[in-house]
Amino acid sequence: MINFRLSTLANKSFNGVQLNQNQKDSIVEKTWKIIRQSLADCLAILLISLNLISCGLKKTQSLNSVDETSASLLVNPALPGDNPDPSIIRVGKVYYASSTTNEWAPYFTIYRSTDLKNWKLINHVFPNGFKDMKDQWGENNFWASELVYDQKQHRIYAYYTAHNRATKGNPGLQCGTAWIDSDKIEGGKFTDNGPVITEDECGAIDAFELQQNGKNYAFWKNDGNGCGKESWIWKQEINDSRTKLLGQKSKVFTNSQPWETGLVEGACFFTLGEYVYSLYSVGGCCDAKCNYKTGIARTKDLNSGVWEKYGNNPVMESNDRWNCPGHGTVVKTADERMFMLYHAFNKSYDVFVGREGIIEELTVGSDGWPVLHNATLPNRSKADLNFADNFKIDQKLDLAWQWPSKSQKPSTSFDKGLKLAASNENHALGTFLGQYIKTVNFSISAEVEPGAAKTGICLGGAIFKSKWPGELGGIGITASKDGFVVFDNFEGTYTVRKVSKENLNGSLQLKMLISDNGKQIEFFYKERGAEWLSFYRTDFLAARYVPWGMGYRAGIVVKGETSETGTFGSFKLINN
């Protein structure tokens, strides 16, 4: 039929001009090109639509729910790097977010934003680690900080999980609370109330608060999967100072449906219309074998114990961009739009970066359920992830710097640069200050002053088969007055990979280039006015040393006697 019509078209005259055979053939050929391009465009649109559906669009949603307004508003990851279990609240026109810090201090980040896409790290719940906690009760497992705004008190409360150093085993997982006046959250000091929610048998984690009808309700998970028991979400009223539970606790729901594998946890709650909704996570969250998914349930009566789970669950699961999404919090904007901040692994980075904070809008489907489109794209510029610190200008340590959670904050001072106290801690690695990596192809560099201590840069992870995930291992390069050393203690013993003995005087620069998606490292040095010189290159088995539930850290290290210091002029992390 098409050939016939094209031939008929070509046999007609144009403005009275009769066409020869070559002209006819040319018209047919050009017309075919137009038809083929049109068919290709239609096929591309069809494939994009099918791809969106395969990424998690539910039958109750239309393609228009992934709208241009939402896409233009959001930048992801919202919280780049290792920011699992994120929480978000709104106070007036300002949003605050927090996240798990696992086995790193300071404990529990505090971020600030006015537009949901540009976030600034402004504080931590416990800036000095365990020293800021009541009776220094927390030892490790610093998980799931949840922020709550009490408008009547003008206070922000933080619920959080930690393991009590005085209690062995799973019962040591307990939920504490801390508070701060809302106008002091940027740079102010939280007051810790200590443990408030405990479970005698399996421990309590993932606390959350919902304020309703003048009462405060605390929710949490008994960590049943950690001790061979069922895991449930529990509810109990809590007093206004968030120091004591009131009345009796009651069960909310558990993993009761075939798709809900392993456990239930990370539940958040919000109201919409006549319902209280809960978004919750099931499955394994935190390593390369994770199978995390997110579901939603609702009830009309919070105290009834009767919850309806959505028939089209899960509302969010792994797709071709993100792996194992879940454990987040919903926030409402001033115009009543709803956004969820949750975590997921970027599939392009495996698990080496950790679970990043992702934000997307919830939309109400035709059946009345608020759901997620589960098709968020990683669209934050890599240049946006770079970090630079000029220690010769700064007079205090940037909030991005972290240290192992069981250690005291390293001693630092500023005098024409950062002076970091040396040690032989961390399996002889030395004193380490690190920060999130945010991609798997990047470089770190630092200006150092060679002295008695070995002063340099390092990629930090976990000691192989470590007793706990915060048992720090690392690979790096240092300089001292005696020369250069490339070292590695990831197997638990400080090992010199390469050494060059020479007299070093004056400042110089060190660099590590991590490439091939974290699987190769090259070490460089550069003396003043000279070019970079490659010193050592090695393959790196990144999967062997990535900590459970955490990403790698990149930073600075000083190895030596405690009376010694290492001096740094600057530090840079550049993502490639």
Side-chain angles (χ1 to χ4, degrees):
M1 181 66 69
I2 294 177
N3 282 335
F4 172 76
R5 288 179 177 173
L6 290 178
S7 300
T8 302
L9 174 66
N11 284 326
K12 290 183 178 181
S13 63
F14 290 83
N15 294 326
V17 177
Q18 190 66 38
L19 303 177
N20 58 36
Q21 189 59 46
N22 289 337
Q23 290 171 320
K24 294 176 183 178
D25 292 342
S26 177
I27 290 173
V28 171
E29 183 179 354
K30 291 178 180 179
T31 306
W32 265 115
K33 287 183 178 179
I34 294 171
I35 292 172
R36 283 195 297 267
Q37 184 60 50
S38 298
L39 289 172
D41 291 343
C42 291
L43 180 60
I45 292 171
L46 178 61
L47 289 174
I48 290 172
S49 301
L50 290 173
N51 185 54
L52 285 172
I53 294 171
S54 70
C55 286
L57 277 170
K58 301 298 174 182
K59 293 178 182 178
T60 55
Q61 293 174 273
S62 68
L63 291 176
N64 290 333
S65 66
V66 189
D67 58 41
E68 292 183 3
T69 303
S70 176
S72 65
L73 175 68
L74 304 178
V75 178
N76 278 301
L79 306 180
D82 191 17
N83 282 284
D85 311 330
S87 169
I88 184 172
I89 60 171
R90 179 173 63 88
V91 180
K93 296 181 179 180
V94 181
Y95 300 91
Y96 297 102
S98 184
S99 64
T100 281
T101 46
N102 273 308
E103 308 311 317
W104 293 96
Y107 307 152
F108 309 121
T109 56
I110 302 290
Y111 295 95
R112 182 184 187 275
S113 175
T114 56
D115 59 8
L116 292 178
K117 60 182 179 180
N118 296 296
W119 294 88
K120 180 182 179 182
L121 181 62
I122 60 167
N123 205 349
H124 291 85
V125 177
F126 302 124
N128 296 299
F130 59 81
K131 285 194 169 184
D132 290 331
M133 303 179 76
K134 184 178 181 180
D135 301 323
Q136 301 185 8
W137 75 272
E139 182 178 31
N140 59 295
N141 299 140
F142 297 101
W143 300 340
S145 49
E146 286 288 348
L147 301 180
V148 178
Y149 177 52
D150 190 311
Q151 189 172 10
K152 292 183 298 182
Q153 299 177 19
H154 302 291
R155 282 182 177 178
I156 293 174
Y157 286 88
Y159 287 75
Y160 63 90
T161 301
H163 195 282
N164 195 323
R165 65 178 67 250
T167 307
K168 294 183 179 180
N170 244 68
L173 288 172
Q174 300 172 0
C175 298
T177 63
W179 63 271
I180 192 170
D181 291 334
S182 58
D183 60 352
K184 296 180 180 178
I185 191 164
E186 187 160 358
K189 193 86 168 178
F190 278 79
T191 298
D192 187 31
N193 293 325
V196 177
I197 303 171
T198 62
E199 290 278 357
D200 292 338
E201 190 173 15
C202 295
I205 68 171
D206 298 351
F208 188 91
E209 180 183 297
L210 178 70
Q211 299 169 19
Q212 191 185 48
N213 300 326
K215 294 183 178 181
N216 312 312
Y217 293 97
F219 299 82
W220 69 92
K221 169 204 173 184
N222 72 298
D223 197 45
N225 54 288
C227 63
K229 305 289 184 179
E230 288 185 335
S231 60
W232 280 80
I233 304 300
W234 293 81
K235 172 183 71 71
Q236 192 167 350
E237 188 180 349
I238 192 168
N239 65 358
D240 285 342
S241 62
R242 279 69 170 183
T243 56
K244 184 180 180 180
L245 295 171
L246 306 174
Q248 298 296 315
K249 69 179 182 180
S250 60
K251 289 181 176 179
V252 180
F253 51 75
T254 187
N255 49 315
S256 59
Q257 297 183 339
W259 72 273
E260 296 173 334
T261 54
L263 56 90
V264 62
E265 66 181 24
C268 73
F269 297 81
F270 62 96
T271 57
L272 181 65
E274 59 182 335
Y275 288 100
V276 174
Y277 288 89
S278 175
L279 282 155
Y280 61 94
S281 299
V282 300
C285 65
C286 308
D287 57 23
K289 297 179 181 179
C290 65
N291 60 348
Y292 227 37
K293 300 179 183 69
T294 296
I296 191 168
R298 69 185 182 185
T299 184
K300 288 185 177 180
D301 183 357
L302 193 60
N303 294 312
S304 70
V306 178
W307 287 78
E308 173 192 6
K309 291 185 177 179
Y310 185 39
N312 285 339
N313 275 337
V315 294
M316 189 164 58
E317 54 190 321
S318 297
N319 57 40
D320 62 341
R321 300 283 186 171
W322 304 102
N323 208 25
C324 300
H327 197 149
T329 305
V330 174
V331 68
K332 292 181 181 178
T333 62
D335 58 357
E336 292 296 309
R337 293 171 72 182
M338 295 181 297
F339 292 84
M340 185 180 186
L341 181 65
Y342 59 90
H343 72 230
F345 290 110
N346 187 322
K347 275 196 170 179
S348 298
Y349 301 155
D350 204 315
V351 295
F352 307 147
V353 169
R355 292 162 289 165
E356 302 187 275
I358 314 301
I359 192 166
E360 67 174 87
E361 186 168 7
L362 282 85
T363 55
V364 179
S366 59
D367 58 3
W369 285 83
V371 289
L372 298 149
H373 62 70
N374 198 200
T376 302
L377 300 176
N379 59 347
R380 187 174 289 279
S381 166
K382 285 186 178 180
D384 212 19
L385 307 175
N386 296 340
F387 177 87
D389 210 337
N390 188 333
F391 299 121
K392 294 179 180 179
I393 296 176
D394 297 339
Q395 292 301 308
K396 63 179 181 178
L397 203 61
D398 192 283
L399 293 176
W401 293 105
Q402 301 174 311
W403 63 92
S405 66
K406 288 187 178 182
S407 300
Q408 294 190 30
K409 184 177 182 179
S411 176
T412 59
S413 61
F414 288 84
D415 181 15
K416 299 179 181 178
L418 167 65
K419 295 189 181 299
L420 178 62
S423 76
N424 283 291
E425 296 178 352
N426 303 309
H427 293 267
L429 180 79
T431 304
F432 178 77
L433 284 173
Q435 57 182 269
Y436 304 141
I437 68 167
K438 297 173 182 176
T439 64
V440 289
N441 296 289
F442 59 94
S443 68
I444 57 175
S445 60
E447 179 188 356
V448 303
E449 296 283 346
K454 293 180 173 64
T455 304
I457 54 179
C458 177
L459 180 66
I463 294 291
F464 183 58
K465 294 184 178 179
S466 59
K467 296 177 182 177
W468 63 291
E471 196 171 10
L472 179 66
I475 184 171
I477 181 172
T478 59
S480 70
K481 62 182 181 181
D482 298 322
F484 300 100
V485 173
V486 171
F487 64 90
D488 180 353
N489 81 327
F490 272 121
E491 297 292 328
T493 302
Y494 185 87
T495 303
V496 174
R497 294 277 195 109
K498 184 176 180 179
V499 62
S500 174
K501 293 185 177 182
E502 50 189 287
N503 294 323
L504 297 177
N505 294 297
S507 65
L508 55 85
Q509 294 187 58
L510 303 173
K511 182 168 74 171
M512 293 172 59
L513 177 63
I514 292 86
S515 60
D516 193 19
N517 297 326
K519 298 180 179 66
Q520 192 167 86
I521 303 177
E522 188 169 7
F523 302 83
F524 302 82
Y525 69 88
K526 181 171 73 169
E527 298 187 79
R528 187 184 298 274
E531 299 294 323
W532 284 109
L533 294 176
S534 177
F535 184 68
Y536 183 72
R537 186 173 182 174
T538 183
D539 293 334
F540 181 63
L541 190 58
R544 185 176 175 87
Y545 309 114
V546 63
W548 179 87
M550 295 184 286
Y552 279 95
R553 299 300 194 265
I556 56 178
V557 64
V558 183
K559 176 179 171 62
E561 300 300 321
T562 55
S563 59
E564 298 170 344
T565 59
T567 301
F568 298 86
S570 63
F571 177 87
K572 290 182 181 180
L573 190 157
I574 305 297
N575 296 279
N576 301 318

